[in-house]
Amino acid sequence: MPRGTVPQIVRRPRQSTNTPLRMLKRPISVWKHLYILSQHGFAEDSILLYEITNQSTSSNRWIVPDNEQDFATYQKIAEFYEKTKRYAQAGAILKSIIQTFRNERPFSYPSCSTYMPQDDRREDTDEELKLKDYTWFCYYSILQKSNKLKEAYEALKHIRGPQMKSRRDVEIPRLVRRIKNQEESDLLVPETWKADLPDENSARICSSSLGPVLSLLKKNKADSTLVKRFSEQFTGTERNDVYWWLKSAEAVGNYRIYDAIACLKRMSHQNPRVLTEMARLNYQIDKKDEARRLLRTAHNNDSLWIDGMDLLAFLCIGDFTQHAALIENLATTLNREWPHRAETCTVNGFMAQQIDTELAWSFAERARKMVFPGTEQYVFAVHLRAYVLRTMELKSRGADVERYRNQAHRILLEAVESMPNNTDLGVLYVDTLLEDEDGHREAKIFATRFLHDNQNNVQAKLLKVHVLVNGVSRNPDANHTKELFQLLEDVITEHPHILAAYCFLLNEYARLKNSDKCNEILEKLTAARPLISQGKTHKFHKMKADYLLKTRDVIPAYEHLMAAFATGAMVDQAMIANYESEFLSTKAVAGDYGNLAFLDPILPERPCSSITTVQQSPSALQEVVNVHENAQDSSEGEDEEDEEEEEEMLVAVAP
């Protein structure tokens, strides 16, 4: 038989990853970009663009557009907030729309609105009544999802049109029954939501979508003109905001975290979205004090802000006594505005862990059901479960101790397998392994593999250092390896603000009597002084005082110790006695320098009482104390100077 002709297969050419993304030929306003995204149904993209361009400065201050198309987009943004379980922001948008209704004034509970006098009113048209009823019903849905049942009942009462009246009559009896039978724990776990920005391989790509651009930049796959080409699609100040947000992502992709923070500072605003992103970047490089300050500012600026609040609680539990008021205030706000979110359960669990382990465990289990692996919420929900199980283990006896330990190990092993490159989970897992007498080998294997996969991550280096130091502490006869010293020197070179690395190196080189290395580390520490956060200034001075005292350089040691006390250092009685004996044993301390009244441990708690001591001190010591007391009083001025310095160091140039 004759062989048949094989039809030629025509294959569609595959788009190369190096092909530039297509952009608009002419720039348009941010509201037109939002309209394009809303027509595609890109919820996360729309919300991100809406927030980074600061279309609302906070959840309490919204601007309702006058243009008909922009107003429809504004309503669509509210729908996207509801879809992504951000009910407080969705409710705030609907509330702002209600305030524009004729004959009505702003919402206030228990009455949703106050009507104008009868003489100033006229009958609503059918279209106006339809819009009002629809908005009120949407607002009712948001309120009842947030468990604000009485406010939801008041919203339903404002529906007056015939088209929505039947739905109102059905909802009111059901809502009344819920109000009568409501209990504090009467909250169902809602459908969970995972943020889903499209990446560069997704079919969900349009010229206004931030997702593919951010994905390329953070993976360091973008061409050099991508940021400029994308930002030039915008007009007005929004172009500058989009540009610097993308430049920050580009810096993250190149492992230049300091440049990424500097880019965010150059945006035209510092709203909660920007502050939260800056906090996460500072936390990534171990600047936890700055991260906590930024998140606290975001919460103070906008009490309805939810993103990153579990990180804020996590940063506060290390010193619960000092930050108890902040955590309690945060938990109260989240319980009122966000009862359905995983962050609320996590914050409540961290707070309850201090007093009631069983209650904390119930919050931890509730949070577990509401999070997805791969998200920040999942990380802190795992932290909460591990902390609670650790507390239960310490309080238990007999077989329960081993049961809780094994359960915590199983949870953390599952977590690190689902998120192998997450630093927080890796540190928690290693700490759990090191608690076991036979766990050091497994911890060292994990830390070595983690560092190999995250070579530019400072936390990965510190994790390996932690394991190596633990190995020496288990075997006092062993010496520290060269790898340990090399890792720590890499840390202070790349991240000179981390004081723990200086402290360890100074102590070890002093023990080895390597004075050249000690002087080199001390010079690096002095040069890094401007990068050290204000809250750790006392640690900087105390570290220098300790080393200078060991080298018998008494006068500078005295001055740094005085500066440490002036900036809030607390020293125990044994250390104070050691300082006093060292100062008195040397002839270098004479005259006014012999006045050791500042060693009174009560003085750091009431610094005003040290004025007399300062006045009796010599001019050199007086100057040291004045400089650091003035530095604390003018922290805002220093922050502005630091911002200017970082801006000058930034290589990128705005379009």
Side-chain angles (χ1 to χ4, degrees), residues 303-581:
S303 60
L304 298 184
W305 189 252
I306 182 66
D307 291 350
M309 292 300 103
D310 46 0
L311 173 58
L312 175 58
F314 176 73
L315 292 172
C316 291
I317 60 171
D319 191 354
F320 184 81
T321 304
Q322 180 179 353
H323 303 292
L326 172 59
I327 298 180
E328 291 175 3
N329 178 49
L330 179 62
T332 301
T333 303
L334 296 184
N335 287 326
R336 182 180 67 249
E337 301 293 343
W338 302 93
H340 58 284
R341 288 285 293 244
E343 291 93 332
T344 304
C345 298
T346 303
V347 173
N348 285 331
F350 282 139
M351 188 172 65
Q353 182 201 3
Q354 310 294 325
I355 52 177
D356 190 337
T357 307
E358 293 183 0
L359 179 61
W361 181 252
S362 68
F363 281 122
E365 285 296 288
R366 179 175 168 81
R368 178 184 63 83
K369 300 175 183 178
M370 302 167 67
V371 295
F372 284 100
T375 62
E376 186 180 80
Q377 292 87 347
Y378 175 81
V379 172
F380 296 113
V382 170
H383 266 281
L384 176 59
R385 297 182 73 198
Y387 286 172
V388 174
L389 287 172
R390 175 61 175 166
T391 305
M392 290 179 174
E393 177 188 341
L394 295 175
K395 293 181 178 180
S396 301
R397 296 290 183 273
D400 288 340
V401 175
E402 192 68 21
R403 179 168 63 88
Y404 288 133
R405 182 180 302 168
N406 292 337
Q407 185 177 357
H409 184 274
R410 185 171 62 254
I411 290 172
L412 291 173
L413 181 60
E414 179 184 349
V416 296
E417 288 177 352
S418 62
M419 298 180 67
N421 294 324
N422 185 272
T423 306
D424 291 317
L425 294 178
V427 171
L428 191 60
Y429 180 62
V430 165
D431 285 340
T432 304
L433 292 175
L434 293 178
E435 290 175 359
D436 190 357
E437 294 182 359
D438 301 325
H440 180 264
R441 181 176 179 275
E442 187 176 352
K444 187 175 182 179
I445 293 173
F446 178 86
T448 303
R449 184 174 65 249
F450 190 83
L451 179 59
H452 180 269
D453 296 337
N454 302 272
Q455 297 181 12
N456 295 304
N457 191 333
V458 63
Q459 298 290 349
K461 295 179 181 180
L462 293 175
L463 180 61
K464 183 65 180 292
V465 168
H466 175 50
V467 174
L468 293 175
V469 172
N470 181 269
V472 174
S473 63
R474 289 169 180 256
N475 183 12
D477 296 332
N479 293 321
H480 293 304
T481 62
K482 293 182 179 179
E483 181 187 13
L484 176 61
F485 289 101
Q486 185 61 49
L487 284 171
L488 286 171
E489 292 194 14
D490 289 345
V491 168
I492 64 175
T493 300
E494 299 169 4
H495 302 276
H497 63 277
I498 300 179
L499 289 177
Y502 294 101
C503 183
F504 182 87
L505 286 173
L506 281 175
N507 288 334
E508 287 304 308
Y509 284 134
R511 184 177 64 84
L512 297 173
K513 298 181 180 179
N514 191 337
S515 57
D516 293 337
K517 273 292 185 180
C518 286
N519 293 331
E520 179 184 341
I521 299 301
L522 202 63
E523 289 177 1
K524 291 183 178 180
L525 175 61
T526 305
R529 169 65 185 88
L531 300 175
I532 297 171
S533 65
Q534 194 69 29
K536 293 184 178 179
T537 303
H538 64 281
K539 295 182 179 179
F540 166 82
H541 288 292
K542 186 175 180 300
M543 190 184 305
K544 295 201 72 173
D546 289 341
Y547 175 74
L548 292 171
L549 203 59
K550 290 179 182 178
T551 59
R552 311 296 293 175
D553 200 356
V554 179
I555 299 301
Y558 184 100
E559 293 175 348
H560 279 289
L561 184 61
M562 191 64 177
F565 276 115
T567 52
M570 300 292 292
V571 184
D572 58 22
Q573 291 286 353
M575 188 63 68
I576 289 175
N578 181 44
Y579 285 137
E580 187 172 7
S581 62

